[in-house]
Amino acid sequence: AMVSTQSTGKFWHLPSGQLVSTVSSHYQHITSLVWSFDGRLVVSGGQDNIVNVWEFYKMLKDQPSVSPLYTLTNHSMAVSDVHCGFGGFKSRLFTSSLDNTCRIYELYSGKIMLS
């Protein structure tokens, strides 16, 4: 399970109640947090206009700090929603923002496809 508290994402193992990982790369509140359909990536969007994409397996390692796979900064206002499409390595990442834009990226590379 995942919980977003202000600018930090916390990931818990529900059966044991153990905190698995804490990630922080946003400067303001996290507004959207979603898993990719294959479970490999976690995507967070925030009021700081930033979208971060994390590799979940790296979060499971006992590291003091985990960096995002990549960070997207194409929105000029808060990110209101993120969505991961189907398709494995051909999956798309959709983001929407209070700047009235929707952007489409290649999920695994971060390459922008449509803005």
Side-chain angles (χ1 to χ4, degrees), residues 1-101:
M2 56 188 164
V3 177
S4 152
T5 59
Q6 296 182 2
S7 61
T8 302
K10 295 182 183 258
F11 297 86
W12 299 84
H13 182 254
L14 289 180
S16 69
Q18 181 179 2
L19 178 65
V20 175
S21 181
T22 300
V23 295
S24 179
S25 190
H26 286 279
Y27 303 102
Q28 295 179 358
H29 292 282
I30 295 173
T31 55
S32 186
L33 198 59
V34 67
W35 293 89
S36 64
F37 282 99
D38 62 8
R40 294 180 184 182
L41 302 177
V42 178
V43 181
S44 62
Q47 288 181 342
D48 53 7
N49 317 345
I50 293 174
V51 174
N52 286 309
V53 178
W54 310 85
E55 293 175 287
F56 186 63
Y57 78 91
K58 286 188 178 178
M59 292 180 193
L60 297 177
K61 295 181 180 180
D62 191 20
Q63 298 177 0
S65 177
V66 179
S67 298
L69 175 63
Y70 60 84
T71 298
L72 304 169
T73 58
N74 301 82
H75 289 294
S76 61
M77 293 182 72
V79 175
S80 54
D81 200 10
V82 294
H83 176 77
C84 296
F86 292 103
F89 285 104
K90 294 185 178 184
S91 296
R92 303 294 182 242
L93 169 62
F94 303 86
T95 65
S96 61
S97 169
L98 296 181
D99 63 10
N100 294 320
T101 63

